[in-house]
């Protein structure tokens, strides 16, 4: 079902089409999976080089750079779906006028529902950083059109890293 959800996303965003063959769809999926920064870790070490790597700095950077997708509703694009989503509107009303703070800091309130999912599925630890953390939850975000179900929420960070590496290797071969 996870693969089917990603394929629906690719179809509705027109990254794959009905006329494409199986191999083309597979290579489009591999390209999408391998190039998406699902955990916000791509370039993490370089961006924090020369600074003290604190849990707050790692978490803030991951929240800002992490890829989060919403499967577009039928006949709409992704941004229209997010804009017109009832859950997103309720969330915006709830945080309107509040000081949101900086990502990764104490008291950070994400300004949008999509940012809220990014923050909920991010932790200050990663494979390349030696930052101790008592918080878990690194994972990819692919939401349904109502923005209530994260289809990729049960995938572990280790699986995502490994599968992205394998997808990159497959595309190079």
């Amino acid at each position: 079902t996870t693969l089917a959800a990603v394929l629906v996303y690719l179809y509705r965003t027109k990254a794959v089409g009905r006329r494409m063959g199986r191999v083309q769809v597979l290579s489009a999926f591999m390209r999408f999976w391998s190039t998406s920064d699902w955990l916000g870790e791509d370039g993490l070490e370089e961006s924090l080089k020369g600074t003290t790597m604190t849990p707050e700095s790692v978490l803030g950077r991951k929240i800002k750079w992490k890829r989060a997708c919403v499967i577009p509703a039928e006949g709409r694009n992704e941004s229209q779906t997010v804009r017109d989503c009832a859950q997103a509107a309720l969330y915006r009303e709830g945080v309107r006028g509040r000081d949101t703070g900086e990502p990764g800091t104490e008291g950070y309130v994400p300004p949008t529902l999509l940012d809220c999912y990014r923050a909920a599925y991010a932790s200050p630890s990663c494979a390349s950083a030696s930052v101790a953390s008592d918080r878990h939850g690194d994972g990819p975000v692919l939401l349904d059109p109502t923005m209530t179900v994260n289809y990729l929420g049960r995938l572990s960070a280790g699986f995502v890293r490994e599968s992205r590496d394998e997808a990159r290797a497959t595309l190079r071969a």
Side-chain angles (χ1 to χ4, degrees):
T1 60
T2 302
L3 180 60
V6 174
L7 290 174
V8 167
Y9 174 81
L10 292 173
Y11 178 74
R12 289 200 183 160
T13 58
K14 299 183 179 20
V16 298
R18 293 178 191 210
R19 292 184 168 185
M20 295 174 80
R22 291 180 200 111
V23 174
Q24 290 174 308
V25 171
L26 179 64
S27 77
F29 168 77
M30 294 291 210
R31 193 174 334 104
F32 171 72
W33 190 257
S34 67
T35 59
S36 296
D37 189 3
W38 293 108
L39 304 175
E41 295 177 350
D42 292 357
L44 180 66
E45 287 182 347
E46 292 81 28
S47 69
L48 295 175
K49 195 175 275 185
T51 64
T52 305
M53 197 177 290
T54 64
E56 293 80 19
S57 64
V58 171
L59 181 60
R61 195 248 180 232
K62 287 172 79 173
I63 291 171
K64 286 180 185 176
W65 290 99
K66 163 180 234 157
R67 171 115 190 220
C69 301
V70 177
I71 296 174
E74 199 76 38
R76 296 177 170 264
N77 64 33
E78 193 171 359
S79 62
Q80 290 170 332
T81 301
V82 171
R83 182 191 67 217
D84 298 337
C85 175
Q87 292 288 6
L90 289 171
Y91 184 86
R92 275 192 306 272
E93 288 298 316
V95 298
R96 180 167 285 151
R98 292 176 66 183
D99 180 28
T100 58
E102 282 296 312
T105 60
E106 186 74 27
Y108 170 64
V109 178
T112 67
L113 185 57
L114 204 54
D115 290 332
C116 185
Y117 274 101
R118 281 187 187 102
Y121 285 91
S123 73
S125 63
C126 69
S128 59
S130 58
V131 176
S133 171
D134 59 351
R135 181 178 171 191
H136 300 285
D138 265 346
V141 177
L142 176 65
L143 302 173
D144 72 324
T146 64
M147 296 180 74
T148 56
V149 177
N150 181 5
Y151 290 116
L152 304 181
R154 63 189 178 91
L155 299 181
S156 71
F159 172 80
V160 172
R161 288 182 198 109
E162 184 71 25
S163 62
R164 286 185 70 212
D165 288 344
E166 291 296 325
R168 280 189 211 106
T170 301
L171 289 171
R172 280 193 303 269

